[in-house]
Amino acid sequence: MAIPNSCTQCGAELLSTANFCHVCGTRRLGSAGTLKPDNANFCHVCGIRITANATESVWEHCQIEYELVGALGFSHRFIAKALGPRGPYMATDPSVTISTNFPHPGVKKDVQACDTMKARLLADRWEPLAEQGPEWFNYKFRRRVL
């Protein structure tokens, strides 16, 4: 099956390396590349919208939360839920499972697991925000995408 040279949605001529149309963002099969046409509105590799102003930054945001683990929910672990230009995702693997129902700042394992999660995010170039969620472990972060 031949890969079309133009977008099936808007008709724009596509680079041979494009996965997405650089004009309308429609997904197209093809191999990844690095060139970007001057009239690009969307990245032709990942499909993320390119901002009109080159100085304008696009950020993804993340917050540490917890989830109950197990059929009865007697354990929990910390997770880092993120929201980027392409939608929600997990920013890191979950922390170790801790065998209490809810996270508590007085439990040493909870504080250590949360600190480990923060360290993972910082190592992945997430920057901490001063704002924090309602719970003691709801640290918030952001990371520049474009």
Side-chain angles (χ1 to χ4, degrees):
M1 180 173 141
I3 297 174
N5 291 330
S6 60
C7 177
T8 57
Q9 182 69 28
C10 72
E13 188 172 333
L14 303 175
L15 297 170
S16 62
T17 58
N19 292 329
F20 294 83
C21 175
H22 60 275
V23 176
C24 71
T26 300
R27 184 167 184 70
R28 171 189 172 230
L29 298 176
S31 59
T34 58
L35 298 176
K36 177 181 76 71
D38 291 338
N39 66 339
N41 296 321
F42 295 84
C43 173
H44 67 280
V45 177
C46 68
I48 293 175
R49 182 180 247 321
I50 297 171
T51 59
N53 183 352
T55 60
E56 184 180 329
S57 295
V58 175
W59 298 88
E60 54 188 351
H61 292 84
C62 175
Q63 178 173 300
I64 296 176
E65 298 182 7
Y66 81 97
E67 67 180 359
L68 295 175
V69 180
L72 300 175
F74 290 125
S75 300
H76 67 273
R77 61 186 177 186
F78 292 99
I79 56 175
K81 288 187 176 180
L83 179 63
R86 310 258 324 141
Y89 68 97
M90 298 298 285
T92 66
D93 292 331
S95 68
V96 296
T97 299
I98 302 161
S99 58
T100 59
N101 285 42
F102 300 102
H104 191 276
V107 177
K108 187 175 181 179
K109 287 182 182 178
D110 282 334
V111 174
Q112 289 173 337
C114 187
D115 287 346
T116 299
M117 182 64 66
K118 288 191 300 188
R120 286 184 198 169
L121 292 168
L122 293 172
D124 287 340
R125 299 181 342 265
W126 288 92
E127 63 181 64
L129 298 174
E131 175 190 358
Q132 190 170 335
E135 301 291 338
W136 68 269
F137 52 82
N138 289 146
Y139 294 97
K140 293 185 178 188
F141 300 82
R142 72 178 185 170
R143 180 167 63 180
R144 188 184 316 268
V145 177
L146 293 177

